Amino acid sequence: MRKIIVQEFITLDGVMQAPGGPDEDKSSGFKYGGWVSPYFAEADEVASGFMQKWMESTDILLGRKTFEIFASYWPTHGDMWSGINEVTKYAMSTTLNKSEVDNSGWNNSVLLKNIDDIKKLKNSDGSAIKVHGSGNLVQSLFKHDLVDELFLMSFPITLGVGKRLFGDGTIPSAFKLTDSLITAYGVIFTYYKRAGEVKTGTVGA
């Protein structure tokens, strides 16, 4: 069985929409695209190990919008992310067809049509699969209990609007923090693994 790792940039209020640039995702009138940029103005050497883990080459699973954004950029910028063009890219979409994915210009891209396709993929043999961006897809993964690990990069801002990482339908789940780092520019890296069911009790009992 393969692990699915959801890896995201998020704000303090859980917004994950368009972190990379102003034109990345303007849906619903979102005007804060590129909100991570100011925090990468200065290199932070202590974060280099976490960034290497973040950029580790694994097969990836993407929703339609993120797949189209990535497919338009990474085929010609592979020197910035070693291995990104060689791994298998799974695009989950009900609107794209196989021909569009095959002819996207991004090598080793495979179309998945529904959550059952993802379940079959997860139950196959192979390495871990990372999910980047893909807000609607991620919420479906949470809803169907398909997320094994979370790797989050939290930024010290709130936006109040935008697509959020956790939405309606997220099932109750416990996670265990396995690694973390606070950088000089206030970004917090956190790595979580599933830890069974949610437990409750009375404080002080």
Side-chain angles (χ1 to χ4, degrees):
M1 180 177 289
R2 308 177 71 174
K3 291 189 301 185
I4 293 181
I5 304 170
V6 170
Q7 185 166 286
E8 303 288 356
F9 299 108
I10 62 169
T11 66
L12 293 179
D13 56 338
V15 175
M16 57 177 289
Q17 185 170 351
D23 298 321
E24 187 174 306
D25 181 2
K26 294 183 176 180
S27 60
S28 300
F30 190 73
K31 61 181 181 180
Y32 299 108
W35 46 267
V36 305
S37 178
Y39 300 93
F40 286 107
E42 298 292 336
D44 192 334
E45 292 184 1
V46 300
S48 61
F50 277 79
M51 287 308 301
Q52 289 175 11
K53 189 173 184 179
W54 189 276
M55 302 291 283
E56 180 184 14
S57 294
T58 67
D59 291 351
I60 59 177
L61 171 62
L62 306 171
R64 178 191 60 81
K65 184 179 290 292
T66 303
F67 175 79
E68 291 177 339
I69 293 170
F70 277 31
S72 69
Y73 183 82
W74 288 114
T76 56
H77 294 82
D79 57 321
M80 299 171 60
W81 189 347
S82 177
I84 186 62
N85 293 321
E86 286 69 49
V87 300
T88 302
K89 280 75 67 174
Y90 297 97
M92 164 68 177
S93 175
T94 58
T95 56
L96 292 175
N97 59 49
K98 185 176 184 300
S99 177
E100 289 174 312
V101 172
D102 291 344
N103 297 317
S104 65
W106 207 12
N107 294 335
N108 307 321
S109 294
V110 177
L111 176 66
L112 303 179
K113 296 297 292 184
N114 52 50
I115 204 72
D116 286 336
D117 286 343
I118 297 177
K119 290 179 179 179
K120 291 176 183 177
L121 175 64
K122 181 173 171 55
N123 287 322
S124 66
D125 294 327
S127 64
I129 302 166
K130 289 186 175 181
V131 182
H132 301 268
S134 311
N136 293 335
L137 168 62
V138 167
Q139 292 190 5
S140 292
L141 295 176
F142 283 128
K143 182 178 180 180
H144 290 89
D145 196 16
L146 294 174
V147 177
D148 298 290
E149 299 180 7
L150 292 170
F151 192 7
L152 306 179
M153 199 186 300
S154 303
F155 290 76
I157 55 172
T158 57
L159 296 178
V161 296
K163 298 175 182 176
R164 285 174 163 78
L165 178 60
F166 300 102
D168 294 339
T170 299
I171 66 169
S173 304
F175 286 84
K176 178 182 179 181
L177 180 68
T178 60
D179 207 355
S180 64
L181 173 73
I182 301 176
T183 73
Y185 45 91
V187 176
I188 304 174
F189 290 83
T190 49
Y191 205 109
Y192 299 94
K193 294 184 179 180
R194 276 295 302 272
E197 303 299 321
V198 173
K199 298 177 181 179
T200 63
T202 301
V203 175

